[in-house]
Amino acid sequence: MPRSRRSVRRVEEYAADPMPRGAWPATLAPVRQVLDDGLDLDTVTVFVGENGAGKSTLVEAIALAFGMSPEGGSTNSGHSTRPSESDLWEHIALHREPGVDAEFGLVEWLLHVPRRTPGVPAGAGVPRAEPR
């Protein structure tokens, strides 16, 4: 069977610069688990959980460690509005597949892209609720 070409195969704590476990965001259970045990990623990985659980914190840290904007996109998309990310990215190491590009997105990203993209009308691509 051919080997899967994933841009990031695994995320784990950067051994040379471990994150203090008493500091946020290491106090969040999912972040602590990634730091303690690492996380193997598949071709598509989806994080699901309650608000404030650490989903976006993990995704943003992986993006920053990869060299991408924490707000979504690809390595060729460097847009950023207001920095608000944790320093988790400085404490993780990515096991990457050479020569494979990456893209990622947060649901929130869909709400901001049309406003930042020249030539795209405001609200384009944003789903509208059907009247009842």
Side-chain angles (χ1 to χ4, degrees), residues 46-100:
V46 178
F47 295 130
V48 178
E50 297 290 327
N51 288 343
K55 303 174 302 292
S56 294
T57 301
L58 285 169
V59 172
E60 291 166 354
I62 293 168
L64 284 165
F66 196 93
M68 293 188 282
S69 165
E71 295 182 24
S74 68
T75 51
N76 298 319
S77 173
H79 63 274
S80 184
T81 53
R82 177 176 53 94
S84 61
E85 298 76 38
S86 73
D87 65 346
L88 175 61
W89 71 276
E90 297 174 347
H91 302 280
I92 60 173
L94 306 181
H95 295 260
R96 297 175 56 176
E97 188 76 36
V100 179

